[in-house]
Amino acid sequence: MRVRRLHDWPATVPEARALQEELRGLVDLSGPGPEEPELVAGVDVGYSPEDDRLVAAVVVLRAGTLEGVEEVAVSGRVRFPYVPGLFAFRELPTLVEALERLTVTPDLLVCDGYGLAHPYRFGLACHLGVLTDLPTIGVGKTAFVGACEPPGPERGAWSAITDGGETIGRALRTRRDTKPVYVSQGHRISLSNACRQVLELAPRYRIPEPIRQADRLSRRDI
């Protein structure tokens, strides 16, 4: 799979912030995104509890059946300090390497993280979307920025996440009476379609299957 090498990896916080501001202008939120993607990739990163090792995992599934197509896991080291709002720079170098090893190109990327629902409106899903130029969705397990009312208890219920008067995502209930996930646009997909795709990819569990399997793969070799 081809990933565009648009920049070098920043070494400092000011460099990372400047890069986010530069690339944010390349994000396409006009959508609409694929209505029926054939291949969907989930990405996640696992961290060693003992040192600075990490494993970036990509799992590609057939959207209609959730049958496995390909998986890649790449080991690496944390290269950037932990800074709120810049967390993606800890994961991106190894994630990009994992994506480049794919022999297939997915129609949709689903990230364990955030897209527009980010203090600088440029989370991991936005960054990966710009680098791959693929429709990309961010799915967070916990709330990050903004405020929202609890969605209704039924599957498919949602409430808007707003910040400064701007809608930046949705809290989406993927299973009845279970905590919601936090969905935001990354690149080239509408928010409504992003939520529809997340529901399609989460028929049994709270977390969409591509991310759930990528999470398991990333932890396997730590």
Side-chain angles (χ1 to χ4, degrees):
M1 174 180 159
R2 178 177 175 269
V3 179
R4 299 187 293 179
R5 294 287 185 150
L6 298 179
H7 58 79
D8 295 327
W9 300 117
T12 67
V13 169
E15 289 174 352
R17 281 292 296 120
L19 185 58
Q20 284 182 325
E21 288 300 314
E22 177 185 346
L23 296 180
R24 189 170 64 172
L26 301 179
V27 174
D28 179 4
L29 300 178
S30 62
E35 290 297 318
E36 296 184 3
E38 179 181 355
L39 300 179
V40 179
V43 302
D44 200 359
V45 175
Y47 291 84
S48 168
E50 300 173 352
D51 51 32
D52 64 352
R53 290 178 299 122
L54 56 78
V55 173
V58 183
V59 174
V60 181
L61 306 179
R62 295 198 182 280
T65 63
L66 300 182
E67 171 191 4
V69 173
E70 187 174 9
E71 60 180 44
V72 175
V74 174
S75 298
R77 299 275 179 178
V78 174
R79 306 183 190 180
F80 198 84
Y82 175 76
V83 180
L86 301 179
F87 191 79
F89 291 102
R90 296 166 66 85
E91 304 186 341
L92 277 164
T94 314
L95 272 176
V96 165
E97 185 178 349
L99 286 166
E100 288 178 327
R101 293 189 187 186
L102 287 178
T103 63
V104 298
T105 298
D107 305 299
L108 178 67
L109 288 180
V110 185
C111 303
D112 178 10
Y114 305 90
L116 191 64
H118 180 272
Y120 307 126
R121 304 298 187 262
F122 194 76
L124 175 66
C126 294
H127 206 141
L128 278 181
V130 167
L131 294 182
T132 62
D133 200 29
L134 293 175
T136 309
I137 303 170
V139 181
K141 299 183 181 74
T142 58
F144 184 30
V145 296
C148 63
E149 296 295 326
E154 68 277 6
R155 171 179 160 85
W158 61 269
S159 59
I161 304 171
T162 60
D163 188 39
E166 178 185 5
T167 297
I168 57 174
R170 291 178 182 175
L172 176 67
R173 195 86 66 184
T174 54
R175 288 184 60 80
R176 184 176 181 85
D177 295 325
T178 301
K179 290 190 296 184
V181 295
Y182 299 87
V183 180
S184 55
Q185 296 161 273
H187 186 59
R188 293 184 53 198
I189 192 166
S190 69
L191 182 54
S192 294
N193 192 17
C195 289
R196 188 174 71 83
Q197 299 299 335
V198 168
L199 284 172
E200 291 287 335
L201 295 167
R204 296 180 58 195
Y205 300 100
R206 173 181 175 245
I207 304 302
E209 194 64 17
I211 296 178
R212 200 177 75 86
Q213 292 196 24
D215 174 72
R216 292 173 63 187
L217 180 61
S218 73
R219 296 171 186 269
R220 190 179 68 191
D221 298 324
I222 282 291

